[in-house]
Amino acid sequence: MDLRYTAAEEQFRTELRAWLAETLPTLPEKPDTGDWAGRRAYDTGFQRLLFDAGYAGVDWPKEGGGRGSSPVEQLVYVEELERAHAPYVGVNFVGLLHAGPTIVAEGTPEQRARYLPPILRGDDVWCQGFSEPDAGSDLAALRTSAVRDGDDYIVNGSKIWTSHAEVADFCELLVRTGPAETKHKGISWLIMDMDAPGIEIRPLRTIAGATEFAELFFHDVRVPVANRVGQENDGWRVTMVTLSFERGTAFVGELLQSMELLHSLREVDDADGSPNADRIGHLGAELDALWALTRRNVSEAARTGVPGIGGSVFKLAFSELRQRIGELGMDLIGRGGLSWDELDGPAWSRSAGGPGNAELVDTWVNSFSRTIAAGTSQIQRNIVAERILGLPKG
Amino acid sequence: MDLRYTAAEEQFRTELRAWLAETLPTLPEKPDTGDWAGRRAYDTGFQRLLFDAGYAGVDWPKEGGGRGSSPVEQLVYVEELERAHAPYVGVNFVGLLHAGPTIVAEGTPEQRARYLPPILRGDDVWCQGFSEPDAGSDLAALRTSAVRDGDDYIVNGSKIWTSHAEVADFCELLVRTGPAETKHKGISWLIMDMDAPGIEIRPLRTIAGATEFAELFFHDVRVPVANRVGQENDGWRVTMVTLSFERGTAFVGELLQSMELLHSLREVDDADGSPNADRIGHLGAELDALWALTRRNVSEAARTGVPGIGGSVFKLAFSELRQRIGELGMDLIGRGGLSWDELDGPAWSRSAGGPGNAELVDTWVNSFSRTIAAGTSQIQRNIVAERILGLPKG
Amino acid sequence: MDLEHSLDQDALAGVVRAIVAGRFSMERIRRREGTPLVVDPDDWAALGEAGVFSLTVAEDEGGVGLGMADAAVVFEELGRGLVPGPLVASHLAAGLTDSPLFAGAADGTTVVGAVTRPRMSDTGARVPLIVEHLASLDAMIVVGHDGLLSVLSTDDLEAEPIAHPLDPLTPLSVLTSLPEGDPVGDRDTAIRFTQGTHILTGALCAGMAAATCSMAVDYAKERQQFGRPIGSFQAVKHLCADMLVRAEVARAAVDVAAVTADQPDTGDTVRAAAGAALLAAEAAIANAKTSIQVHGGMGFTWEVPVHLYLMRARVLASSLGPLGALARTVAARY
Amino acid sequence: MDLEHSLDQDALAGVVRAIVAGRFSMERIRRREGTPLVVDPDDWAALGEAGVFSLTVAEDEGGVGLGMADAAVVFEELGRGLVPGPLVASHLAAGLTDSPLFAGAADGTTVVGAVTRPRMSDTGARVPLIVEHLASLDAMIVVGHDGLLSVLSTDDLEAEPIAHPLDPLTPLSVLTSLPEGDPVGDRDTAIRFTQGTHILTGALCAGMAAATCSMAVDYAKERQQFGRPIGSFQAVKHLCADMLVRAEVARAAVDVAAVTADQPDTGDTVRAAAGAALLAAEAAIANAKTSIQVHGGMGFTWEVPVHLYLMRARVLASSLGPLGALARTVAARY
């Protein structure tokens, strides 16, 4: 076990840090949450800067046009971006971290040539059409249908929880091409042009009040058969392949941000005479441990290509920890937690250098999705128990 | 809703309190835990005093020889005994609270005449032979067999978790009289004389170090068919009938004892400057609420004959609360919690008027059985979800 | 001794339930989300007419002459229905018959709020003074630093509205100053006010905890995943069972605190009220959170109303001050 | 950067596992339950020979010259096997090469314990001074009120044995007095001693948490109820999944604390060590408790060894002082 980085890794870090220090001050002002066009421009603009500097697709293999970095370099990359408060991946999320890697692994040469470079350059934005209202945890129950008609599929149905649909050029879409009984054996993976006729986008308001997500409705949308990635009815496997790209770095940004938040909560608590020091210290020890676990998972990925059992363990622990940090924040600011708008005055307010009530409310409210999205904690526990511990299926 | 008692209930309380004040000082010294003969003599001696004073079988109907008290009087009865630190029901437990009521409800006139009066007088001690090593939560999987041979059953098999077997005169025994596949439809309820040849008693050591329980092994034990209570293969229903005698008072003694213990832990914590006041207050609020819930359950029983949904709710909440009280005690005394023997000195020691480390260790260790015995908390949650909330079976 | 509802209490609960179903249906109250005037004067008067505010006022003072136990029954129903507005303060104001400002509190023609005067923080910074439903209020009870009560009219108060309150059905304003007001009542009045706040806020929370439990159970019976209702999975069952336990324990605590307030020789009202408020507030928060989890992705949508219970629970809990202080009150009297 | 075991560390773990399987099998160690001499000198010497105590002593001082990371690997295995004895104190004593009393600590011929000098309680009553394995000890490290270390021979100590210790494999005595002893090392030595105690006690606990998780999983695969292995029920699955999470998080915390101690420029060793001890002690207690629950009635029998892990976890946790103090140490440096 070793916490030191190689000279090459240190150099990568130094160069990246220097580039960030030079580049970030040149970025335009952040657009408002509701300004979708502005957000697209901002996020893809930063992606273009990364591309020009050679930092696009750090985690993509070189044959896909990426940098082909090692897992440890990927860790250094996300760590440095977070510590420098660089923009999040934002609207580039699905393209860079999901659809792109899938096409790298499973696309035809034509598909790779057509779709990958614009993702890396920040020219194309992708969204995801996987979940459906009746296919949440049970994704394989999806019903959106694609029926062959000559060289096209005709797609009907709906999707939910689609981020950035308003500004997306393409959608990675899971559709049913076999009968419903075939479950995960009758699913195909399509590239859908978001400009195709018959797509309706309805913003979905969440409990956080925001409309980060949308519902998609498809009325006879034509998708060329040539846009299918993988074989017909083999889309489930294609989807799973993407998971194998994960190197244990998925939550690094949020984890480091949580540590920074806890630090500022500790300062707020100090200003109040530290009545919550036990609770803060406990959460701090847990965050430190999950940072260690992250680095272990990355170490495992560096050796074997996959982060091992640590990924599921991390997700279970972190999603519940994040909720407890949210609750601590709300408890510390009392009545201040009743407002989404910034309030002024006490140690926790932004005006006094604290984290601000708005961020704390936001952290708390959004934490409730952490134990639901991407597999509820209940499903995660089943997975841990069955796949890692080998307990029999129920 | 009303917290006042009727004049008749108050008079019952006053008389009982006076009798306890007069009687308890005359009791002999408590025997050691390991002295079974002494414990039998002590517990049955007190039962005889209760009988002579008209307090035996407060919860038994008059036709069974009991006092036939209302649920509220039963509550007053157990409350006063606990507050006066009267002896626990001890070795009379199974006879008074389980086998006796079963025979009252399901026994023949001959069985009632033969077995009930000696229980009330403290002459006969009973034990229970229900659980088996492979039939714990799944009691209906029991395998101890009873095969007809003329006027007898011949019993073979074994039982576990039998209390007071060493000093019991009779055992209420569940046996399989039908084929194994019949599950709960092939079980019969027998009265077994503990002097019958072929019964072997092996003390079972628990994690508390004590041998409160025993395993029973049966080698061709003869039990007269006349000792069967209820019809052959109808023993499961007979057993369930006993549950209908519960009026919500089962845990009153332990609950009041927990409140007293928490009070003394609060004093210990006060002596240390109250670093655990939040935790103590929270546990106190929960205990107060469960005492309220108990009285609501008894109120329900007074109206309808059964304590309603509150019984399962109470058991789930109290068994886990009891563990947290145990943990608080251990945390408060630190290294003192490493000894079963009384230590002297600090505020928590008996010599300084505290609860004493031995009681705290004992409370903690024994609390682990609370979420297991009489239906694990997992099984209890299934019951609450299915029978009270109406969720579908899995 | 009887801790179940009397027939009269069942009838009272039924009356309130009917008003809630009629005037405060989820569909109807949600139309006012995010507006400054969530309290509708007609609806408020209807609550007044049903006795919601005058229930514990003596008959010779023009009230219904019932006790806190009856009020707890009523407030549990109001909580279950997520009825918005300064219910607790208006109810307690109706009992402060010395103050001319509160003449119409009992019949619901005067809407009364409450606020605790904030302390300066250690750094000297002013803690924002947040008032609920200010635009609907006629008058306000102020709990001072000394614990004593004063009253003031809301006519001349200066305040900044908060554009995005956490609970869209509890509009908020930040007062820029808080006048002294007129003293009302003595120390005993103030103690009863605190107890009443604990018990009735607890009752609202207990009702809310029961409601979010029911919502989860209903959803779990209906929602299919993996070819079965999700309520058939043990993991979901156990979440629901734990919700029921929390709701029932909270309700028992609230009810016994209310009866103790009516029959003070039967127990320690201060301890019972503080403990009830603590457990009920925690149950309301935990059950709303668990209900969201059982609802899965749907629980995270604005459309499904379970999140409104979570936000309201935070509003009510924050009105009790730090929950740890309630626990310490119980500890000090244990 | 690599937080997985190196090949050498895997080999080291294998060596320790072989010794544990041979000399410290559950059957073998349980024969000494309740006796005053649980530490067998031959077995202790075998641990010494394997380098358990001299692992982090520099090679030029006669040690193995490895680091805390390697020691953590070894101590996790010792914890998994529930190996009894004053392992942590003896290991740390081997590094205090200034003291002639500890000459044989490294090779396991001298058995060394540790004790923290208790404060008087506020009421002036003496807190009992409990020492583990006294009858087996040759010498003892005393942590004084000032945090500094002193050493003393156990030859002339007066003590009362405790007849029924919580953990039957950790015999206890109450010292009736505690001499001053000879000072050893400076403030840095004392700080390293505390860090070492946190890390190695944490490592034992992390290994124990993993062991009780495995025991529960094995039992759940085998035990049949309602016609299925109980491990097929979600309720049991989720208990086991939570145990794995606690064990893995604890192990990550311990390992990173140990590497930080070896490479102090990579982080805050004090914070990492305190946090690791906190999480690992809690995981050892919680997993033992949960494992008992999964074992059902069998978990409550003396025969099934899972309770021994619970009792040992309490012994180790209590040796760290109040766990809240560890949390506050982390908070102060966060």
Side-chain angles (χ1 to χ4, degrees):
Chain A
M1 291 184 283
D2 190 355
L3 281 166
R4 299 184 198 281
Y5 291 82
T6 63
E9 288 158 357
E10 287 292 6
Q11 180 168 353
F12 175 72
R13 187 191 294 276
T14 306
E15 286 171 11
L16 176 57
R17 200 176 281 180
W19 181 80
L20 286 165
E22 187 184 299
T23 308
L24 296 183
T26 70
L27 293 185
E29 215 178 316
K30 259 193 161 163
D32 285 344
T33 322
D35 173 12
W36 275 109
R39 285 172 65 178
R40 179 182 164 128
Y42 184 85
D43 293 346
T44 57
F46 183 61
Q47 178 62 26
R48 180 57 189 245
L49 294 177
L50 287 167
F51 178 82
D52 290 341
Y55 292 120
V58 162
D59 53 332
W60 287 26
K62 283 194 174 143
E63 59 273 31
R67 190 177 171 113
S69 298
S70 71
V72 175
E73 278 175 347
Q74 293 175 33
L75 178 71
V76 170
Y77 174 80
V78 287
E79 185 182 353
E80 288 303 320
L81 261 73
E82 179 61 33
R83 293 206 193 275
H85 301 122
Y88 289 113
V89 65
V91 304
N92 305 300
F93 180 82
V94 172
L96 273 177
L97 298 173
H98 210 272
T102 305
I103 294 170
V104 170
E106 296 288 325
T108 61
E110 295 72 28
Q111 288 168 340
R112 295 166 68 151
R114 162 68 189 86
Y115 295 109
L116 297 179
I119 292 174
L120 292 171
R121 273 200 312 268
D123 291 343
D124 281 352
V125 167
W126 285 63
C127 65
Q128 184 181 72
F130 281 13
S131 288
E132 298 182 7
D134 290 325
S137 295
D138 184 11
L139 184 58
L142 65 88
R143 292 194 298 209
T144 293
S145 67
V147 177
R148 279 288 279 267
D149 181 47
D151 288 342
D152 290 340
Y153 287 107
I154 300 180
V155 175
N156 281 285
S158 70
K159 294 288 175 181
I160 195 171
W161 302 116
T162 300
S163 307
H164 319 125
E166 290 83 347
V167 292
D169 303 292
F170 297 99
C171 178
E172 53 167 356
L173 189 72
L174 286 185
V175 291
R176 180 154 301 286
T177 39
E181 316 84 72
T182 54
K183 297 282 281 181
H184 61 275
K185 288 176 187 150
I187 290 171
S188 298
W189 201 107
L190 303 182
I191 300 168
M192 183 172 72
D193 189 327
M194 289 296 284
D195 289 332
I199 302 176
E200 186 194 340
I201 300 172
R202 261 185 239 163
L204 178 71
R205 198 169 171 203
T206 70
I207 72 174
T211 52
E212 279 297 301
F213 299 98
E215 288 180 277
L216 302 182
F217 296 87
F218 311 124
H219 310 281
D220 292 332
V221 180
R222 285 192 170 264
V223 177
V225 172
N227 281 16
R228 193 187 65 225
V229 174
Q231 296 302 303
E232 188 166 278
N233 295 332
D234 197 29
W236 188 259
R237 189 193 58 76
V238 172
T239 307
M240 295 296 123
V241 161
T242 317
L243 296 180
S244 71
F245 277 78
E246 159 62 11
R247 297 285 178 268
T249 59
F251 294 95
V252 167
E254 203 178 344
L255 178 64
L256 295 174
Q257 183 264 330
S258 298
M259 294 170 90
E260 213 173 296
L261 182 63
L262 189 70
H263 168 73
S264 58
L265 290 177
R266 202 263 295 164
E267 290 186 327
V268 169
D269 190 55
D270 278 357
D272 284 347
S274 293
N276 295 285
D278 280 40
R279 203 171 155 195
I280 289 170
H282 203 288
L283 292 168
E286 289 178 85
L287 284 170
D288 286 354
L290 291 186
W291 178 225
L293 186 61
T294 296
R295 287 175 290 171
R296 165 179 294 159
N297 293 345
V298 170
S299 308
E300 178 74 13
R303 292 187 188 197
T304 66
V306 288
I309 67 167
S312 301
V313 168
F314 180 90
K315 167 136 187 345
L316 255 180
F318 184 55
S319 53
E320 303 198 340
L321 178 56
R322 183 84 183 167
Q323 292 184 354
R324 287 189 286 126
I325 291 171
E327 279 156 15
L328 170 73
M330 289 294 272
D331 290 348
L332 282 188
I333 65 178
R335 299 277 284 177
L338 302 187
S339 170
W340 289 93
D341 304 324
E342 292 292 358
L343 299 169
D344 288 329
W348 45 258
S349 66
R350 252 194 209 295
S351 54
N357 57 291
E359 179 175 345
L360 294 173
V361 170
D362 194 70
T363 299
W364 177 68
V365 173
N366 279 297
S367 75
F368 294 104
S369 71
R370 294 298 183 283
T371 49
I372 295 172
T376 65
S377 289
Q378 284 70 41
I379 300 274
Q380 292 289 334
R381 285 192 182 88
N382 286 350
I383 292 173
V384 166
E386 291 168 10
R387 297 199 202 151
I388 302 177
L389 297 175
L391 288 170
K393 293 222 164 203
Chain B
M1 291 184 283
D2 189 356
L3 281 166
R4 298 185 198 282
Y5 292 82
T6 64
E9 288 158 357
E10 287 292 6
Q11 180 169 353
F12 175 73
R13 188 191 294 275
T14 306
E15 285 171 13
L16 176 58
R17 201 176 280 179
W19 180 80
L20 286 166
E22 188 183 298
T23 309
L24 296 183
T26 70
L27 293 184
E29 215 178 316
K30 260 194 160 165
D32 286 344
T33 320
D35 173 12
W36 276 109
R39 285 172 64 177
R40 178 182 166 129
Y42 183 85
D43 294 345
T44 57
F46 183 61
Q47 179 62 24
R48 179 57 188 244
L49 293 176
L50 286 168
F51 178 82
D52 290 341
Y55 292 119
V58 162
D59 54 331
W60 287 26
K62 283 194 174 142
E63 59 273 30
R67 190 176 171 114
S69 298
S70 72
V72 176
E73 278 176 348
Q74 292 175 33
L75 178 70
V76 170
Y77 173 82
V78 286
E79 186 182 353
E80 288 302 321
L81 262 73
E82 179 61 32
R83 293 206 193 276
H85 300 121
Y88 289 112
V89 64
V91 304
N92 304 300
F93 180 82
V94 172
L96 272 177
L97 297 173
H98 210 272
T102 305
I103 294 170
V104 169
E106 296 287 325
T108 61
E110 294 71 28
Q111 287 169 340
R112 296 166 67 150
R114 162 67 189 86
Y115 294 108
L116 298 180
I119 292 175
L120 292 171
R121 273 200 311 269
D123 291 344
D124 281 352
V125 167
W126 285 63
C127 64
Q128 185 182 72
F130 281 14
S131 290
E132 298 182 5
D134 290 327
S137 295
D138 185 13
L139 183 58
L142 65 86
R143 293 195 297 210
T144 292
S145 68
V147 177
R148 280 288 279 268
D149 182 46
D151 289 341
D152 290 341
Y153 286 107
I154 299 181
V155 175
N156 280 286
S158 69
K159 294 288 175 181
I160 195 170
W161 303 115
T162 300
S163 307
H164 319 125
E166 290 84 347
V167 290
D169 303 292
F170 297 99
C171 177
E172 52 167 356
L173 189 71
L174 286 185
V175 292
R176 181 153 299 287
T177 39
E181 315 84 73
T182 55
K183 297 282 283 181
H184 60 275
K185 288 177 186 150
I187 290 172
S188 299
W189 201 107
L190 303 182
I191 300 167
M192 182 172 71
D193 189 327
M194 290 296 284
D195 289 333
I199 302 175
E200 186 193 340
I201 300 171
R202 261 186 237 162
L204 177 70
R205 198 170 171 200
T206 71
I207 72 174
T211 52
E212 279 296 302
F213 299 97
E215 287 181 277
L216 303 182
F217 296 88
F218 311 124
H219 310 281
D220 292 332
V221 179
R222 285 192 170 263
V223 177
V225 172
N227 282 15
R228 193 187 65 226
V229 174
Q231 297 302 305
E232 189 166 278
N233 295 332
D234 197 28
W236 188 259
R237 189 193 58 75
V238 171
T239 307
M240 293 298 123
V241 161
T242 317
L243 295 179
S244 70
F245 277 79
E246 161 61 11
R247 297 286 178 267
T249 59
F251 293 94
V252 168
E254 203 177 344
L255 177 64
L256 296 174
Q257 184 264 330
S258 298
M259 294 169 90
E260 213 174 297
L261 181 63
L262 189 70
H263 167 73
S264 58
L265 290 177
R266 203 264 294 163
E267 290 186 328
V268 169
D269 189 54
D270 278 356
D272 284 347
S274 294
N276 295 286
D278 280 40
R279 201 171 156 195
I280 289 170
H282 204 287
L283 292 168
E286 290 178 84
L287 284 170
D288 286 354
L290 291 185
W291 178 224
L293 185 61
T294 297
R295 286 175 291 170
R296 164 179 295 159
N297 293 346
V298 170
S299 307
E300 178 75 13
R303 291 187 186 196
T304 66
V306 288
I309 67 166
S312 301
V313 168
F314 180 91
K315 169 139 190 337
L316 255 180
F318 184 56
S319 53
E320 303 198 340
L321 178 55
R322 183 86 183 165
Q323 291 183 355
R324 287 189 287 128
I325 292 172
E327 279 156 17
L328 170 74
M330 289 294 272
D331 290 348
L332 284 189
I333 64 177
R335 299 278 283 177
L338 302 187
S339 170
W340 289 94
D341 305 324
E342 291 292 358
L343 298 169
D344 289 329
W348 46 258
S349 66
R350 253 195 209 293
S351 55
N357 58 291
E359 179 176 343
L360 294 174
V361 171
D362 194 70
T363 299
W364 177 69
V365 173
N366 278 296
S367 76
F368 294 104
S369 71
R370 293 300 183 280
T371 49
I372 296 171
T376 65
S377 290
Q378 284 69 41
I379 300 273
Q380 292 288 334
R381 285 192 182 89
N382 286 350
I383 291 173
V384 166
E386 291 168 12
R387 297 198 201 152
I388 302 177
L389 298 175
L391 289 170
K393 294 221 164 202
Chain C
M1 196 286 296
D2 189 349
L3 278 178
E4 292 283 356
H5 291 182
S6 67
L7 289 177
D8 285 350
Q9 285 165 339
D10 277 340
L12 190 58
V15 168
V16 178
R17 224 176 292 129
I19 296 175
V20 170
R23 291 181 171 267
F24 298 96
S25 69
M26 195 51 77
E27 199 199 333
R28 198 148 176 269
I29 61 177
R30 292 202 70 173
R31 279 190 220 128
R32 284 178 236 141
E33 275 177 13
T35 67
L37 283 163
V38 167
V39 174
D40 176 284
D42 281 356
D43 292 344
W44 203 256
L47 292 175
E49 205 176 322
V52 164
F53 306 119
S54 58
L55 209 59
T56 57
V57 176
E59 280 183 274
D60 55 15
E61 304 259 19
V64 185
L66 292 175
M68 285 301 282
D70 309 284
V73 169
V74 168
F75 274 65
E76 283 164 23
E77 292 300 333
L78 296 172
R80 197 186 304 268
L82 200 69
V83 173
L87 296 160
V88 173
S90 287
H91 178 101
L92 296 173
L96 298 174
T97 42
D98 289 354
S99 168
L101 279 174
F102 300 156
D107 62 9
T109 53
T110 298
V111 184
V112 184
V115 71
T116 299
R117 195 179 287 277
R119 294 170 192 283
M120 288 283 178
S121 79
D122 287 349
T123 55
R126 187 175 268 291
V127 177
L129 207 172
I130 295 174
V131 183
E132 302 164 18
H133 295 282
L134 183 62
S136 299
L137 299 187
D138 302 299
M140 215 157 58
I141 303 171
V142 182
V143 183
H145 292 158
D146 52 6
L148 293 174
L149 309 182
S150 57
V151 304
L152 44 82
S153 159
T154 51
D155 290 347
D156 308 316
L157 288 179
E158 284 173 27
E160 293 279 341
I162 289 176
H164 299 95
L166 186 72
D167 172 11
L169 292 170
T170 306
L172 301 174
S173 313
V174 179
L175 288 188
T176 46
S177 68
L178 184 62
E180 279 304 311
D182 302 318
V184 62
D186 55 6
R187 190 153 292 281
D188 281 348
T189 312
I191 291 171
R192 271 200 312 280
F193 181 83
T194 300
Q195 284 173 12
T197 302
H198 288 174
I199 292 168
L200 297 180
T201 306
L204 290 173
C205 287
M208 289 163 61
T212 47
C213 176
S214 298
M215 291 160 89
V217 168
D218 290 348
Y219 187 77
K221 284 177 183 170
E222 173 194 291
R223 169 79 170 175
Q224 303 272 329
Q225 292 276 272
F226 305 103
R228 328 166 15 181
I230 61 168
S232 69
F233 292 105
Q234 274 190 349
V236 175
K237 273 186 190 156
H238 291 196
L239 290 177
C240 292
D242 287 342
M243 292 171 80
L244 181 74
V245 169
R246 277 192 293 263
E248 288 291 312
V249 170
R251 187 167 65 94
V254 168
D255 285 352
V256 88
V259 187
T260 307
D262 292 334
Q263 303 175 338
D265 57 318
T266 61
D268 178 343
T269 312
V270 170
R271 166 171 143 184
L278 170 66
L279 297 184
E282 287 183 343
I285 294 172
N287 278 13
K289 180 171 172 293
T290 307
S291 194
I292 287 175
Q293 182 71 22
V294 170
H295 279 80
M298 293 311 295
F300 202 69
T301 63
W302 188 265
E303 184 191 345
V304 172
V306 59
H307 66 100
L308 297 174
Y309 283 83
L310 179 63
M311 304 314 176
R312 183 71 57 79
R314 269 282 168 196
V315 171
L316 293 173
S318 77
S319 75
L320 297 166
L323 296 184
L326 295 175
R328 289 190 293 278
T329 297
V330 176
R333 307 176 77 100
Y334 215 83
Chain D
M1 196 287 296
D2 188 350
L3 278 176
E4 291 282 356
H5 291 182
S6 65
L7 289 178
D8 284 351
Q9 284 165 339
D10 277 341
L12 190 58
V15 168
V16 177
R17 223 176 293 128
I19 296 175
V20 169
R23 291 182 172 266
F24 298 96
S25 69
M26 196 51 76
E27 199 199 335
R28 198 148 176 268
I29 61 178
R30 292 202 70 174
R31 279 191 218 126
R32 285 178 234 142
E33 274 177 15
T35 67
L37 283 163
V38 168
V39 173
D40 176 284
D42 280 356
D43 292 344
W44 203 256
L47 292 174
E49 204 177 322
V52 165
F53 306 119
S54 58
L55 209 59
T56 57
V57 176
E59 281 183 274
D60 55 15
E61 304 261 17
V64 184
L66 293 174
M68 283 302 281
D70 310 283
V73 169
V74 167
F75 274 66
E76 283 164 24
E77 291 300 332
L78 297 172
R80 198 185 303 269
L82 200 69
V83 173
L87 295 160
V88 173
S90 287
H91 177 101
L92 296 173
L96 298 174
T97 42
D98 289 354
S99 169
L101 279 173
F102 300 155
D107 63 9
T109 53
T110 298
V111 184
V112 184
V115 71
T116 299
R117 195 178 287 278
R119 295 170 191 283
M120 287 283 176
S121 79
D122 287 349
T123 55
R126 187 176 269 291
V127 177
L129 207 173
I130 295 174
V131 182
E132 302 164 18
H133 294 282
L134 183 61
S136 299
L137 299 186
D138 302 299
M140 214 156 59
I141 303 170
V142 182
V143 183
H145 292 157
D146 52 7
L148 293 174
L149 310 182
S150 57
V151 304
L152 43 82
S153 159
T154 51
D155 288 348
D156 308 317
L157 289 178
E158 283 172 28
E160 294 278 343
I162 289 176
H164 299 95
L166 186 71
D167 170 12
L169 291 171
T170 306
L172 302 174
S173 313
V174 179
L175 288 187
T176 45
S177 69
L178 183 62
E180 280 304 312
D182 301 319
V184 62
D186 55 7
R187 190 153 293 280
D188 282 347
T189 312
I191 290 172
R192 271 201 311 282
F193 181 82
T194 300
Q195 285 172 11
T197 302
H198 287 173
I199 293 167
L200 297 180
T201 306
L204 290 173
C205 287
M208 288 164 62
T212 46
C213 176
S214 298
M215 290 160 90
V217 168
D218 291 347
Y219 187 76
K221 285 178 183 169
E222 172 196 293
R223 167 79 170 175
Q224 303 272 329
Q225 293 276 273
F226 306 103
R228 326 164 21 179
I230 61 169
S232 69
F233 292 104
Q234 273 190 349
V236 174
K237 273 186 189 156
H238 291 197
L239 290 176
C240 292
D242 288 341
M243 292 171 79
L244 181 73
V245 169
R246 278 192 292 263
E248 287 292 312
V249 170
R251 186 167 66 93
V254 167
D255 285 353
V256 89
V259 187
T260 307
D262 292 336
Q263 303 175 339
D265 56 319
T266 61
D268 178 344
T269 311
V270 170
R271 165 172 143 185
L278 171 66
L279 297 184
E282 287 183 344
I285 293 172
N287 278 13
K289 180 171 171 294
T290 307
S291 193
I292 287 175
Q293 183 71 21
V294 171
H295 280 80
M298 293 312 294
F300 202 68
T301 64
W302 188 265
E303 184 191 343
V304 172
V306 59
H307 65 101
L308 297 174
Y309 283 83
L310 179 63
M311 305 313 177
R312 183 70 58 80
R314 270 281 169 197
V315 171
L316 292 173
S318 77
S319 75
L320 297 166
L323 296 185
L326 295 175
R328 290 190 293 278
T329 297
V330 175
R333 306 176 77 101
Y334 214 83

